[in-house]
Amino acid sequence: MVGSSHEAMHRIFQKDPALLTRALQQVLHIPFPEPHDFAAMNIDLTEIEPIERRVDTLLRAETDEGTYLLVVESQGKPDERKRGSWPYYLSYLYEKYRCEPVLIVVTQNSATARWAAEPIHLGVRGCPSLTVRPFVLGPDNVPVIAKASEAERDVPLAVLSAMTHGRGRQAPAILESLAAALRTIDRDSAAVFVQFVDSCLADTQARKMWRDMMTAIQYFWRHPLAEEVREEGREEGRAEALAEVTLRILRVRDIDVPDDVRARVEACTDLAQLIRWSERAVHATSAADLFTAD
């Protein structure tokens, strides 16, 4: 079970390694060759004595141009110790495997992304003996995927979008689009992606909205978070959850909800109707827009 944002931000690439190379190619515009095979590797870089060193995720990518080692580091905040650790990781891996190492840092924080992207120079100032240039994926370059059609075209990238952008006014559209896309893939993969997103949603309202969505469409059926939700299989429980999702989307988007609108939504027991209202809430400009097409 993924228990933290740190874990989710790098383990998504263990779940779908191809997402990592697509991100390099499409988000960072790095001319990385197309891999035809991936393999997970031992993340332990500890030597015999005495300091333990581990990377977050380490993948081997086989391409027509050779073998690459993809080092993925999940970074929550700046940590100056990494200025020494990251060059060590790359040098150690190259010496051990004689393959080209590539460092990718993943973060949810713009300031951390800017810090991580700074080149690491070791040696004489202005003429370093070693320079490390991390590739960084974060909220400033990972695309915002807020349309269901876009999310369905690339579900793992939509998951990464939700993990890096799942806060503020854009959160409802991102999460709603991803929820729709998850219906198009196998349930086991969907359950894993649900957990990754849940672990990364720092905003309390966004996380509550996400859990309500997933409960309503029964994606907690084999999910560890299911233990936190009671009576999810009941029809009335699903209706209540969908009603709360609809109203929460409006609140997160700072749209005023009059008492009569709230009463109508909360009184509804038609799941199909509630789903339509929740979808309209993502793009509504006023609470009354929920009912304009009824």
Side-chain angles (χ1 to χ4, degrees), residues 208 212 239-249 251 266:
K208 178 63 165 59
D212 288 344
E240 290 174 4
L242 273 171
E244 176 60 25
V245 166
T246 302
L247 297 173
R248 189 173 294 275
I249 290 173
R251 286 199 299 272
E266 291 179 343

Side-chain angles (χ1 to χ4, degrees), residues 4 20 49 57 260 288:
S4 68
L20 185 56
E49 298 288 345
T57 285
D260 61 327

Side-chain angles (χ1 to χ4, degrees), residues 94-289:
Y94 180 78
E95 174 62 23
K96 183 174 182 178
Y97 296 105
R98 292 295 168 176
C99 299
E100 299 295 339
V102 180
L103 174 63
I104 302 101
V105 180
V106 191
T107 181
Q108 295 176 281
N109 183 276
S110 294
T112 301
R114 291 191 293 272
W115 167 83
E118 287 292 321
I120 302 169
H121 301 294
L122 301 181
V124 178
R125 180 171 298 182
C127 189
S129 298
L130 175 66
T131 297
V132 173
R133 300 181 185 275
F135 299 138
V136 182
L137 294 170
D140 295 330
N141 56 16
V142 172
V144 173
I145 298 180
K147 295 182 179 179
S149 57
E150 295 178 0
E152 290 172 11
R153 281 197 295 271
D154 194 336
V155 176
L157 186 59
V159 173
L160 185 61
S161 176
M163 291 164 63
T164 52
H165 297 287
R167 65 181 65 191
R169 294 177 63 86
Q170 59 194 348
I174 293 172
L175 297 179
E176 185 74 24
S177 299
L178 178 57
L182 289 175
R183 297 186 182 99
T184 68
I185 65 174
D186 69 275
R187 295 179 71 87
D188 286 338
S189 294
V192 174
F193 287 145
V194 165
Q195 188 177 346
F196 286 156
V197 174
D198 185 270
S199 297
C200 288
L201 291 175
D203 182 86
T204 304
Q205 285 192 327
R207 176 178 283 192
K208 178 63 165 59
M209 181 172 65
W210 178 245
R211 292 187 175 188
D212 288 344
M213 287 180 184
M214 295 301 99
T215 302
I217 59 177
Q218 295 183 314
Y219 273 116
F220 282 1
W221 68 297
R222 292 169 62 186
H223 191 280
L225 294 173
E227 298 174 2
E228 302 177 22
V229 184
R230 291 185 176 182
E231 301 176 346
E232 63 184 11
R234 286 190 172 185
E235 199 79 357
E236 60 181 329
R238 295 177 64 200
E240 290 174 4
L242 273 171
E244 176 60 25
V245 166
T246 302
L247 297 173
R248 189 173 294 275
I249 290 173
L250 294 174
R251 286 199 299 272
V252 170
R253 298 186 62 224
D254 295 326
I255 294 175
D256 183 60
V257 181
D259 290 341
D260 61 327
V261 172
R262 177 184 301 278
R264 182 173 174 181
V265 172
E266 291 179 343
C268 183
T269 58
D270 184 338
L271 294 179
Q273 180 67 78
L274 286 165
I275 289 172
R276 286 193 294 271
W277 286 348
S278 67
E279 291 171 349
R280 292 174 194 165
V282 174
H283 305 289
T285 56
S286 71
D289 289 346

